[in-house]
Amino acid sequence: MAGWDVHTHLIPPTVLAAAHSGEFGLSIDSGFLVVAGKERLPLGRLADPAALLQWISDQELDGAVVSVPPALFRYDQGVEWTALVNRGLRELATPQLRVLGHLPLLHASAPAIASALGEEGVFSGFALGTPGLTGLDAVWKVLDSLQAFTLIHPGHSPDPRLDAFYLSNLLGNPYETGLAAAELVFTDVPGRFPGIRFCLCHGGGVTAALAGRWQRGIDTARPGIEAPSLAVAEALQRFAADDLVHDPAVLPLLESTFGEVLAGSDWPFPMGSDGIDPRRAVATEALTRPLGAEAALP
């Protein structure tokens, strides 16, 4: 089975070095990377590119698309944090490990950084969290010009009701992805910037189940809605989603909702898949190759 896993994670080596030095609010404690004294990322496979290469071999894949874990998006940290993360991602890039750049989405420099990263020939696109995806037309313009593969990965939901039962992940993550998709659809980003190749993690979260409700809101002119140029169904056909839903009964809905459903494992997290289903679509080399006219991986 040839192809690419579009949803895997590694901690960049520069981030690990900063943690050992106590920089950027990072530390190492009992085999965990501690972020700002709160979130704890287990080391081991998450800090071991060789383990990911073994996963690629075991799954008989061509390679994997790597992004940082969402705890490392840290949009409050600005451009210095972004530079540190991207330096580490450059170190991880190989012909079998394609990396997605990090952007300081809430900083005015985000469009310029996206443009510069897109010209390097190293980054295969970008991974974005869900801090709120409205008001980012300057970023979308750059990503559209690059025809950038753009992975939307949920960040932590701020709802305290989700603290119990691991619901911050089990329910909060799908909600956050659906919220991001809704923001993109209702601000007409797929219609206005058709070159961006969005891919929603975790099967698009709640998006497919709610698409009809969103269209009903448009059709009945609910408050605050300005009808986008594309119907919801047409807009979502311009998105891909990964297939990480843990329930094969859901897959036909995804296939009818999104333009493409791609294999994504969320390696190496426990909520990821145990293996790539050889019957599922896997991303092609053309989708994952680095941006830039003269892309040249090390």
Side-chain angles (χ1 to χ4, degrees):
M1 176 178 61
W4 295 76
D5 182 342
V6 299
H7 182 182
T8 70
H9 298 289
L10 285 170
I11 299 172
T14 51
V15 173
L16 293 172
H20 284 289
S21 301
E23 301 175 271
F24 290 99
L26 302 171
S27 61
I28 302 292
D29 178 51
S30 303
F32 287 83
L33 172 68
V34 184
V35 183
K38 297 180 292 186
E39 297 197 66
R40 296 170 65 87
L41 293 173
L43 300 177
R45 291 189 299 168
L46 196 54
D48 185 1
L52 178 51
L53 290 170
Q54 185 60 55
W55 164 263
I56 291 167
S57 176
D58 292 344
Q59 301 302 311
E60 300 181 358
L61 296 168
D62 292 325
V65 180
V66 177
S67 55
V68 298
L72 300 183
F73 287 149
R74 305 189 77 191
Y75 290 122
D76 62 333
Q77 294 295 299
V79 295
E80 293 84 4
W81 173 253
T82 297
L84 177 82
V85 170
N86 286 326
R87 283 200 303 272
L89 287 166
R90 291 185 191 96
E91 294 179 23
L92 291 172
T94 72
Q96 285 187 291
L97 300 181
R98 303 281 172 85
V99 296
L100 299 179
H102 179 60
L103 298 177
L105 275 182
L106 306 183
H107 195 278
S109 66
I113 291 174
S115 181
L117 295 180
E119 294 173 356
E120 288 187 17
V122 174
F123 296 93
S124 293
F126 303 93
L128 308 183
T130 53
L133 299 184
T134 60
L136 296 176
D137 278 9
V139 175
W140 305 140
K141 183 177 180 179
V142 174
L143 270 54
D144 180 64
S145 69
L146 294 170
Q147 297 189 354
F149 179 79
T150 303
L151 189 75
I152 304 295
H153 195 295
H156 181 76
S157 173
D159 187 341
R161 295 175 299 173
L162 302 178
D163 291 344
F165 314 118
Y166 200 58
L167 290 179
S168 61
N169 183 295
L170 301 183
L171 181 58
N173 277 15
Y175 165 79
E176 287 290 321
T177 303
L179 174 60
E183 290 174 328
L184 294 170
V185 168
F186 282 102
T187 57
D188 201 27
V189 171
R192 295 184 295 123
F193 302 100
I196 305 174
R197 297 176 294 173
F198 286 110
C199 181
L200 304 173
C201 287
H202 312 128
V206 301
T207 303
L210 296 178
R213 186 174 182 85
W214 296 351
Q215 187 60 55
R216 179 67 175 179
I218 293 170
D219 293 343
T220 58
R222 294 300 84 202
I225 294 177
E226 183 175 335
S229 68
L230 301 178
V232 173
E234 185 179 358
L236 293 178
Q237 282 293 308
R238 300 193 180 189
F239 288 77
D242 74 20
D243 64 351
L244 188 60
V245 291
H246 308 291
D247 183 355
V250 178
L251 292 172
L253 175 60
L254 302 188
E255 291 165 347
S256 65
T257 299
F258 300 109
E260 197 169 15
V261 180
L262 302 170
S265 68
D266 205 5
W267 184 96
F269 285 102
M271 287 302 297
S273 65
D274 296 325
I276 300 294
D277 186 339
R279 297 169 295 180
R280 301 296 309 148
V282 287
T284 63
E285 196 278 335
L287 182 67
T288 62
R289 69 168 60 112
L291 302 171
E294 297 180 7
L297 283 168

